[in-house]
Amino acid sequence: MSDLLSIKDRIMKRLCEKKLLVENDIQKALDIQKEKGGKISDILVGMGLVSRNDLISVLSEELGIPPIDLSRYQISKEVIDLIPKKIAKNYHVLPVSKIGDFLTVATADPLNVFVTDDIAAITGCKISLVIANNRDIEEAIAQYYEAGVTEAIDKIIDDMRAPGDIEVLQDEQDFAMSSSELMRLVQDAPVVKITDMVLTEGIKRRASDILIEPMENSLRIRYRVDGILQEGERPPKKIHAALISRLKVMSNLNIAERRLPQDGRFKIRVHDREVDFRISVLPSSNGEKAALRVLDKKQATLDIERLGFEKEALEELKKAASRPHGMMLLCGPTGCGKTTTLYSILKYVDSPEKNIITAEDPIEYQLEGINQLTVRPELGLTFANSLRSFLRQDPDIIMVGEIRDFDTVDIAIKAALTGHLVLSTLHTTTAAGSVTRLVNMGVEPFLITSSVVLVAAQRLVRRICDNCKEPHKIDKVLSEKLQLKPGAGNMVYKGKGCKECQDTGYKGRVGLIETLPLTMDVRKLVLEGIDESRLKQQARKDGMKTLRENGVSKILKGITTVEEVLRVTVGDQEIPLN
């Protein structure tokens, strides 16, 4: 072991001699290793102190082990089969070639003699090492092990679906592709099967988005589940063009256009469930990338009572939604559930006596009894122009998908002042920040106080999986940061990870919301032009609970974890009231 340490010391010294590192950098990395563990090389690279290629070059010089560029090699199946997939992934190694009793193995960590001994025992070969970039090894493992053979893909497809489970639903206005030859190409059985597999896997995982990304030597497919991306099986790179073309045909996009971005949508039926997909195709350096938004109506929760909001905030939303006129604004980043909350409010107030009209980009869910319009900016049908037309349709309630400019907010405020209830969204981070944003857009403060009745900020946190939930001892630093007072009632929980939650410890999401009603004191501050922090302080004096306070409440109820609340409530979400 002392020999290994001396080798590491020599490598560190060599890096310093080449002026790639300084002694102070090494000490910082050693301190992090002592605190968190891990390999010193990974820490140095992760801190950006040295590049992976420079590290490989020095390792090669000091150890006399040649480097290798895996992208230039085509490895035979017979060689790949010598090392099992599990061993290759766990040890981050790849067999490259075999001559006689000697097996050449690529590794990113040539100092780990235990790996060499284990592979020699498994294969019965004498091992000759070469050094490769860790990322190159990961991509090669994905290429050769995870998606190297058609039979493996067919088995995955057969396990996930029986023939005929997926049916593409054509809209009435759909048109036939003019090129029958292209149609035959993308409807070949293997391409159709792999496309169906990707879509079905997304639905099975409850994904909100599916990303199909061409890499240099592989095709990566990722699924956004509960707001976090998860990587799936990697099909072979050679089917990339056919897979994208198949999705274009399903979406009625131009199959021959590969230079410009395209957007579309399609609908499928899986196991008697209708699922809508929105697709965006974007040209990249490695080929076309596709992003699909999954709109599964069965998974949608459009009941305001089931969104998970705290009782006080829920009552504020209901109270504002029941008013005959005024403006309600929801704010937060993309993907935080604003649209779902707006739909839930519309369902809550909907009745045969009310005329409800929406302008959206695009329409995510069709609501029975509600008039919904898709804006088309390229045709001049913007949010502002839609609103002007709405006011001639005798509406009671108007929903605008998003307020993006002064024209839209100006008409929306005028509608709120003339007897209409207007619902919309803003891209700001806090409720108090939305008021400041309106002022910055050019809205006079007196118009804000006269029209806006409620502003709410929203986030989504992942729920702890009920199947593997267990008590968890909270870190003292995190406890102090969230101001959790010690006591028997402050038990926190965490998901251990199980088959139900795909070993993540989480299943589903729940909403956090802070509601800022425009009380008399808040209106007075708005008219005085007070900044966001003062508005927030006053709102909290009036009873507003911040996003972080909502999160702490859900931690103590065992609904979510400390890490989730800290992840989504950043910035000025501290609890103390100054």
Side-chain angles (χ1 to χ4, degrees), residues 178-186:
S178 58
S179 175
S180 58
E181 185 177 351
L182 285 175
M183 289 290 285
R184 283 198 302 271
L185 172 67
V186 299

Side-chain angles (χ1 to χ4, degrees), residues 165-429:
D165 280 345
I166 287 188
E167 173 191 352
V168 180
L169 303 179
Q170 301 288 343
D171 291 332
E172 291 180 4
Q173 66 269 28
D174 286 349
F175 56 89
M177 297 293 291
S178 58
S179 175
S180 58
E181 185 177 351
L182 285 175
M183 289 290 285
R184 283 198 302 271
L185 172 67
V186 299
Q187 289 179 349
D188 282 345
V191 176
V192 173
K193 277 188 173 184
I194 293 172
T195 307
D196 291 353
M197 177 199 74
V198 171
L199 300 180
T200 309
E201 178 69 4
I203 296 167
K204 180 182 175 183
R205 294 191 186 206
R206 302 174 295 103
S208 60
D209 300 89
I210 303 173
L211 304 182
I212 301 172
E213 305 164 302
M215 315 296 282
E216 187 173 356
N217 300 309
S218 62
L219 180 60
R220 182 171 68 177
I221 297 179
R222 294 189 290 173
Y223 304 90
R224 189 175 295 280
V225 181
D226 296 333
I228 305 296
L229 284 172
Q230 300 176 357
E231 190 160 347
E233 293 290 335
R234 293 197 180 199
K237 176 71 179 287
K238 61 185 178 183
I239 63 101
H240 165 249
L243 176 59
I244 297 296
S245 296
R246 169 65 181 166
L247 291 169
K248 284 183 178 180
V249 168
M250 295 169 69
S251 311
N252 291 322
L253 299 180
N254 185 351
I255 196 172
E257 178 57 74
R258 298 182 180 180
R259 301 164 300 171
L260 299 174
Q262 296 188 70
D263 297 305
R265 65 188 304 156
F266 62 92
K267 186 186 298 183
I268 66 173
R269 180 178 288 120
V270 187
H271 303 303
D272 297 324
R273 286 165 58 187
E274 288 188 8
V275 183
D276 290 326
F277 289 85
R278 290 209 319 262
I279 180 172
S280 171
V281 182
L282 183 72
S284 74
S285 58
N286 291 321
E288 290 181 295
K289 172 187 174 183
L292 295 97
R293 171 62 58 89
V294 185
L295 303 171
D296 189 349
K297 296 177 182 178
K298 188 172 181 180
Q299 294 289 337
T301 302
L302 300 181
D303 183 349
I304 196 170
E305 301 281 356
R306 297 174 57 197
L307 297 179
F309 298 149
E310 296 296 310
K311 183 179 178 181
E312 296 84 357
L314 186 60
E315 290 303 318
E316 290 286 357
L317 284 175
K318 288 181 177 180
K319 180 180 176 182
S322 300
R323 294 178 63 123
H325 57 83
M327 180 185 287
M328 292 178 63
L329 290 174
L330 280 173
C331 63
T334 301
C336 72
K338 300 187 298 293
T339 303
T340 300
T341 301
L342 285 179
Y343 279 131
S344 301
I345 292 172
L346 289 181
K347 286 200 72 174
Y348 173 73
V349 299
D350 185 28
S351 69
E353 294 80 23
K354 292 180 180 176
N355 180 14
I356 302 176
I357 309 179
T358 75
E360 305 170 58
D361 183 19
I363 297 171
E364 294 202 6
Y365 297 103
Q366 295 284 350
L367 298 180
E368 186 71 26
I370 293 177
N371 307 286
Q372 296 173 265
L373 170 73
T374 300
V375 298
R376 301 284 298 275
E378 69 276 12
L379 301 178
L381 186 61
T382 61
F383 281 120
N385 290 337
S386 300
L387 270 171
R388 291 188 183 96
S389 299
F390 284 179
L391 295 177
R392 294 190 289 270
Q393 292 287 321
D394 187 32
D396 296 297
I397 300 172
I398 298 171
M399 187 188 97
V400 185
E402 182 185 347
I403 289 178
R404 300 174 179 171
D405 49 45
F406 175 76
D407 285 344
T408 306
V409 72
D410 183 50
I411 301 168
I413 285 178
K414 289 175 180 176
L417 290 172
T418 54
H420 307 87
L421 180 64
V422 180
L423 314 178
S424 192
T425 67
L426 271 178
H427 279 293
T428 56
T429 56

